[in-house]
Amino acid sequence: MSGWSGPPPTVVDVGEFGLIAELRAALPDAAAESPQVPIGIGDDCAVWTPSPGESVVVTTDSLVEGVHFRTDWTDPASLGHKTLAVNLSDLASMGAVPRLAVVTLGLRGDESVADLRTLYAALGVLAARTGTVIAGGDIVRSPTALVLHVTAIGETVGGRVLTRSGARVGDVVAVSGTIGASGAGLALLGLDPDDPRRQAATADALIDAHLRPEPRLELGALLLRSGATAAMDLSDGLLGDLPKVLAASRVSARVEPGRLPVAAAVRAIFPERWAELAMRGGEDYELLFTAPPAAFATISAEAGRLGVPVTAIGEIVAAAGPPEVLLVDGNGEARPAGSGAFDHFG
């Protein structure tokens, strides 16, 4: 499955500058050139001309082998896609438009150039599709693990962005798509290949949800123009990320687990764990947002036309003490959920 056994030459064989040329050649032209980026790969710096009157939006993420991915679980193309997708998801959550990205590769030197070209080509396909120019980056030696680092740059729309701090009492709490599929996919990857759950007809779709997330850029733009009050992307799970919105907005939330949009495949393959995977699984890269009820109705209708359903899962309430998530059962009883955020050093 992983496909990391490409033919020679290796990185050591072609050297740093030879590899740069190979990776530039792997990019589609639409991912390497733009009138707004007159100088890109090949100079000490890239040059970008923002649209008049707009502000710059910057995000950065790193993927480290053995921490964020395993090469026996993912293939080069999927890893290339995900490397850029997780950054674009951050831009989507703020309603920003992606413009360019720079990519740093930390390599041991024994990697196949063909594998890295495949990785870069897939990254370039997503870049071209989203109007993102790959404007340069760096290649360094990493003694023990493959490391991919992206800084993505976008710009505002009308000088505005969505933040985590705008949620207000009475707002609807909602999420896009389904949640828990990525966590379920990761759990499946950790099972023995002969495990019956790995053989389920829907297993590959869940694994793909983990390996190739889709940044919700169109939805982010819709949220910005249609009255959402706060947003962020779901990278650390619902119970890891919703508390960040609540803390920034100084409010609490009541969430009904029974309303969570969890794919039938997750419920079927993990009947005892689906709620945990949905609330704490992480890496769904869906958008979590809040909006007044009237705005949510508009967003829901428009999102349906985009093919990205949104689901109301709760409401924002006043914080009686420190902001918290309250899980509401079928009888209307509420209990504190506690945080579920992934901590690299926890």
Side-chain angles (χ1 to χ4, degrees):
M1 172 189 173
S2 63
W4 285 91
S5 55
T10 68
V11 172
V12 168
D13 294 329
V14 301
E16 177 183 351
F17 304 110
L19 180 60
I20 291 172
E22 291 278 356
L23 298 182
R24 169 59 184 87
L27 291 175
D29 288 343
E33 301 172 358
S34 166
Q36 285 187 286
V37 186
I39 299 176
I41 295 173
D43 273 87
D44 284 357
C45 298
V47 175
W48 169 52
T49 306
S51 300
E54 299 296 351
S55 297
V56 177
V57 183
V58 182
T59 185
T60 190
D61 267 298
S62 298
L63 298 183
V64 179
E65 183 181 0
V67 178
H68 301 96
F69 67 91
R70 286 173 47 170
T71 55
D72 57 335
W73 286 1
T74 188
D75 59 277
S78 294
L79 183 58
H81 173 96
K82 188 171 185 176
T83 297
L84 181 60
V86 299
N87 284 268
L88 297 185
S89 183
D90 283 332
L91 295 180
S93 73
M94 300 190 78
V97 178
R99 295 302 187 198
L100 70 155
V102 291
V103 183
T104 293
L105 302 179
L107 306 173
R108 292 180 299 270
D110 60 354
E111 296 87 355
S112 162
V113 172
D115 286 345
L116 295 176
R117 281 185 61 109
T118 298
L119 183 153
Y120 233 66
L123 184 152
V125 167
L126 179 59
R129 176 159 60 86
T130 57
T132 308
V133 172
I134 305 304
D138 195 15
I139 294 174
V140 298
R141 185 171 184 85
S142 176
T144 60
L146 175 61
V147 178
L148 303 103
H149 179 85
V150 173
T151 296
I153 298 173
E155 60 185 18
T156 56
V157 177
R160 300 172 53 237
V161 291
L162 285 166
T163 68
R164 302 177 183 181
S165 60
R168 298 294 179 262
V169 172
D171 282 353
V172 173
V173 179
V175 295
S176 66
T178 67
I179 56 177
S182 177
L186 179 61
L188 286 168
L189 286 168
L191 297 176
D192 188 282
D194 295 327
D195 189 295
R197 289 168 291 182
R198 283 291 297 268
Q199 308 306 316
T202 53
D204 285 346
L206 296 179
I207 291 172
D208 196 55
H210 177 70
L211 297 181
R212 299 182 71 95
E214 186 63 28
R216 301 299 193 185
L217 288 162
E218 288 185 301
L219 179 62
L222 169 62
L223 297 180
L224 182 69
R225 67 175 181 264
S226 299
T229 51
M232 69 176 298
D233 75 331
L234 286 171
S235 57
D236 292 330
L238 179 65
L239 294 183
D241 290 326
L242 180 54
K244 299 170 189 174
V245 173
L246 303 182
S249 299
R250 300 182 182 180
V251 293
S252 289
R254 291 169 63 91
V255 170
E256 299 177 44
R259 297 170 68 180
L260 298 179
V262 182
V266 179
R267 296 174 186 262
I269 296 177
F270 295 101
E272 307 299 326
R273 292 184 58 196
W274 67 263
E276 173 199 353
L277 291 168
M279 291 190 284
R280 302 183 189 273
E283 293 201 66
D284 283 306
Y285 296 104
E286 295 291 349
L287 297 188
L288 166 68
F289 66 95
T290 62
F296 175 75
T298 299
I299 291 166
S300 181
E302 292 294 325
R305 284 189 272 275
L306 291 176
V308 183
V310 296
T311 304
I313 61 171
E315 66 175 334
I316 297 295
V317 297
E324 62 181 343
V325 180
L326 300 169
L327 298 182
V328 182
D329 64 22
N331 298 318
E333 298 292 325
R335 60 179 176 83
S339 177
F342 174 76
D343 181 346
H344 281 272
F345 303 101

